[in-house]
Amino acid sequence: MTNARELFLYRREGAYIPRIAAVHDLCGYGKCSLGVAIPVLSAAGCDVCPVPTSLFSAHTKFPTFYMHDTTSMLDGYLDAWSEVGIGLDAVYSGFLGSAGQVGAIQRIYADHPQALRIVDPVMGDGGAKYPTYTDEMCAAMAALVDGADLLTPNLTEASILTGVDYQGQDVTDEFVRENMRRLLDMGAKNVVIKGISRGDGKIRNYLAGSDVAFEEVAAEQLPYMLHGTGDLYASALLAAVMAGKSLYESVAFAGRLVRDAMVITRDQPDFELRGVSFESVLGEVTGLV
Ligand SMILES: Nc1ncnc2c1ncn2[C@@H]1O[C@H](COP(=O)(O)OP(=O)(O)O)[C@@H](O)[C@H]1O
Ligand SMILES: Cc1ncc(COP(=O)(O)O)c(C=O)c1O
């Protein structure tokens, strides 16, 4: 393997299997987080090692859900990893159970300084925080921006991180560019802002980085939104990066995969709540490697 910190283009030598710590919640019903990251990244030929941040009976868009925050076990969990001597090529974080878990992620970074840092700063959408997120958690999440090799907020999360007011979805390229510039100034190396929908039938993802020009990738928008698309998008984006694709190619791939999975989900019972059913499009991920 070449230096994992050289994100684009990530190169694998021979049959090497990269190992990724996936720091997300585990959700019983309503496909998202680890339930997405493990299969998608495994299909891309990666060894996914979960660090569960919380256990949920169902995702938080259900009116009732049970949550168990795992913060108190993380020190022991990571101590045991240190003793075993696990080598990591990447650390991919998402939905957190508490503000204190940011410290656990920083500990993994310190223990694995060469590992890529992919931060999906899951905190909310549509201008509102998810119900389990507190202001303290959002403030803590901002500490993960500095040094992130790849940061993947939606507009709500970008606004929480930058302090620029959320202005809805119908924003100009200039507004998105300014948000990305702020995130790069805060220390992120590459930023993808996802899911911008201006009501013109397109959904847009934007990318920019210290060595990557600001670009837009627009695609046809399906006339319904589903829960868990952000997690599937970020996992597919990372899958493509780990397969050696450029950031632009990875952004385009992830958008196609989410769209294809959404089309299939539409035909399933309870399609609005079950999360994105990506199982039958995993072959597209396998095809990356
Ligand atoms: N209705 C849709 N039609 C086509 N693609 C979609 C649709 N909804 C989401 N996607 C794809 O999934 C990505 C992530 O979804 P989004 O809902 O923006 O994430 P989040 O859950 O983080 O807010 C989008 O950027 C887009 O590429
Ligand atoms: C438990 C849980 N995990 C993860 C997510 C992230 O979902 P999305 O991919 O839509 O950002 C959510 C969003 O509500 C959630 O409730």
Side-chain angles (χ1 to χ4, degrees):
M1 190 191 60
T2 55
N3 181 0
R5 296 307 299 269
E6 288 167 17
L7 179 51
F8 313 111
L9 302 166
Y10 184 91
R11 289 278 174 239
R12 289 190 215 174
E13 279 169 18
Y16 182 77
I17 294 178
R19 183 170 299 118
I20 302 174
V23 192
H24 302 250
D25 70 282
L26 181 64
C27 194
Y29 177 53
K31 199 59 85 171
C32 59
S33 37
L34 282 176
V36 175
I38 296 171
V40 169
L41 288 162
S42 299
C46 299
D47 173 11
V48 186
C49 299
V51 180
T53 58
S54 42
L55 306 180
F56 278 87
S57 57
H59 65 56
T60 61
K61 283 276 152 74
F62 284 90
T64 308
F65 57 84
Y66 175 83
M67 174 191 181
H68 173 78
D69 170 7
T70 60
T71 307
S72 63
M73 71 160 216
L74 286 184
D75 275 345
Y77 195 99
L78 296 177
D79 287 347
W81 269 21
S82 299
E83 281 191 36
V84 172
I86 293 176
L88 292 176
D89 299 296
V91 182
Y92 166 35
S93 62
F95 191 106
L96 303 185
S98 73
Q101 293 184 349
V102 169
I105 295 169
Q106 288 168 326
R107 171 180 171 180
I108 306 175
Y109 292 165
D111 289 347
H112 303 273
Q114 293 305 313
L116 282 177
R117 300 175 187 181
I118 298 91
V119 178
D120 187 11
V122 179
M123 290 184 280
D125 64 12
K129 295 196 295 284
Y130 292 135
T132 59
Y133 270 76
T134 60
D135 289 344
E136 186 198 4
M137 285 170 75
C138 293
M141 188 76 93
L144 298 180
V145 173
D146 190 9
D149 291 291
L150 180 54
L151 181 76
T152 59
N154 59 26
L155 273 177
T156 303
E157 292 152 353
S159 143
I160 294 171
L161 294 172
T162 58
V164 174
D165 284 346
Y166 178 73
Q167 299 189 6
Q169 288 283 317
D170 192 9
V171 292
T172 60
D173 277 3
E174 204 36 59
F175 178 83
V176 180
R177 192 189 284 263
E178 172 59 15
N179 267 274
M180 292 179 106
R181 193 191 56 72
R182 284 184 187 234
L183 292 168
L184 293 170
D185 286 350
M186 286 166 71
K189 295 179 186 151
N190 297 279
V191 179
V192 172
I193 295 198
K194 58 191 191 288
I196 296 176
S197 148
R198 297 184 179 136
D200 62 355
K202 303 254 183 243
I203 191 152
R204 293 176 169 81
N205 296 301
Y206 289 84
L207 58 136
S210 22
D211 298 316
V212 178
F214 177 85
E215 283 198 79
E216 169 196 306
V217 180
E220 179 211 349
Q221 180 168 14
L222 297 168
Y224 49 94
M225 297 305 272
L226 297 177
H227 204 59
T229 45
D231 287 350
L232 180 58
Y233 184 88
S235 295
L237 180 70
L238 179 56
V241 165
M242 298 309 281
K245 305 294 177 200
S246 70
L247 186 56
Y248 185 91
E249 289 169 319
S250 302
V251 165
F253 170 80
R256 282 197 304 276
L257 188 89
V258 174
R259 184 190 175 284
D260 292 349
M262 287 183 74
V263 168
I264 288 165
T265 309
R266 178 71 185 80
D267 292 335
Q268 310 304 319
D270 309 319
F271 83 93
E272 280 158 312
L273 280 174
R274 63 188 287 135
V276 201
S277 294
F278 57 82
E279 294 79 358
S280 47
V281 298
L282 278 177
E284 295 178 34
V285 183
T286 313
L288 286 168
V289 285

